Amino acid sequence: MGRARAIVGKYCMECSVVTAPRRLTRRRAAIAARLRGIGFLLPTLALQACFDVHQVDPGSGRFVIDDFEDGDLLPKTPLFQRWGCYTFNPAVGIDPAQTAHCDVERPGYKSAYALSASFMLHQRPVYNNAGAALSTIADPMVDLNGYKNIVFSLKVDFGNLPSASYAFIALDCNSVAAEKQKAALDYFQLTNEVNYPIVIGPTDPWAPFHIPLSEFTQPDWQKNRLADGPKACLAAVDSVNFEINGQLAVGQSGSGVIHIDDVYLE
C-alpha cells in the first residue's frame, strides 16, 4: 500500500527526526501569489526550518489529491492548498496580454465537476516558452516515493496555439539539494510531457492518463542538477502543476483552455 508522507516544518533549536532547509524560490513565490490572488511582487525568500516526518495512510493504496466533486477549488486532502492558475515566461501581471482564469466547471470527465483554466499567452522577446498552468501547492511538502503512478484525466483546447504546443506535468521540489550552490532564481522540478493528441478547436476529448512516477525526469534546461536524483525530488514535492507550453514565436499570441479531473496517486 502506498503512503504519502508530509514533511511538517517547525522552527526549533534542535531536531531529532529530520532537518532540511526550505527555500521559497521566485517560481514558487509566483505560484503562491497567484493562488492567494495577489500580484507577483514577492522577493526570493530563504527559510531555515526543521521538519518532522509524518506518514498519512490514504487507504486502498490510493492518495486522492482532488476529484472536484465538492464543486470548489479546495483539494480533497489537507496536504494540498487551493487550486489556482498562472502564466509563466512571464508571470501574470508583467504582460497584460498574458492572462489565466480558472474555476470548477460542469460537467467533468464522467462526473459532475472538473477544473479548467482559460489562458491567453503572448511571447515576449526576453522570455522563452510562454505557458500557463493549473497548480496546487503542497504545504507541508509531500513524499510521493511510496506510489508508482500519477493518475488524472485531461482535456485541452489548444485554440489558436501552434501545433507544436504540448501539455506536461511538473512536480516542483525546491528544498532538495543540488550539485552546485543554488542561485536566487533557481527552481527544481521533475517533468513529464503528456502525450495528448493535438486537435485544434474546442472538441478535444477527455483522455485518462496513468503516468509512472519513474518516468519523471529533471528537465535538461536546469543546468544545476539534483544532487541525489529524482527520488530525492519525489520525497519533497512542494507543488503539482499541469502546464501548457505554447511554443509561440516572438510577438505571437495564442489562447486555449486546459481541463483536469480525478487527480490521484496509486
Side-chain angles (χ1 to χ4, degrees), residues 47-67:
L47 298 178
Q48 196 76 18
C50 182
F51 299 100
D52 292 338
V53 177
H54 297 280
Q55 294 186 345
V56 180
D57 187 348
S60 303
R62 176 179 291 189
F63 176 41
V64 178
I65 297 177
D66 211 347
D67 60 11

Side-chain angles (χ1 to χ4, degrees), residues 93-259:
I94 295 178
D95 184 346
Q98 183 147 293
T99 61
H101 302 280
C102 48
D103 206 346
V104 290
E105 64 176 4
R106 286 178 175 269
Y109 175 62
K110 300 180 180 179
S111 64
Y113 292 98
L115 179 67
S116 68
S118 57
F119 55 86
M120 175 71 74
L121 303 179
H122 177 228
Q123 188 64 59
R124 295 178 58 160
V126 295
Y127 294 91
N128 294 317
N129 301 320
L134 283 164
S135 178
T136 178
I137 291 176
D139 191 17
M141 295 174 288
V142 176
D143 183 347
L144 304 183
N145 276 309
Y147 295 90
K148 293 183 178 180
N149 305 299
I150 185 167
V151 183
F152 58 94
S153 298
L154 178 72
K155 180 171 69 170
V156 183
D157 171 8
F158 286 93
N160 59 346
L161 293 173
S163 60
S165 302
Y166 61 92
F168 65 102
I169 308 175
L171 304 176
D172 288 358
C173 53
N174 290 299
S175 69
V176 297
E179 291 180 346
K180 303 175 183 177
Q181 183 175 355
K182 294 180 180 180
L185 296 182
D186 278 350
Y187 64 91
F188 297 87
Q189 61 182 195
L190 301 178
T191 62
N192 187 281
E193 184 175 340
V194 179
N195 187 22
Y196 186 86
I198 306 296
V199 180
I200 304 302
T203 59
D204 298 345
W206 281 101
F209 290 91
H210 292 68
I211 299 180
L213 293 176
S214 61
E215 294 183 2
F216 280 76
T217 59
Q218 187 178 9
D220 292 339
W221 59 264
Q222 290 184 4
K223 301 306 180 184
N224 194 0
R225 310 305 290 175
L226 298 170
D228 300 310
K231 284 188 175 295
C233 183
L234 290 173
V237 171
D238 57 52
S239 67
V240 176
N241 311 276
F242 294 86
E243 307 194 3
I244 298 295
N245 189 313
Q247 294 289 289
L248 297 166
V250 173
Q252 188 177 9
S253 295
S255 61
V257 186
I258 180 173
H259 315 252

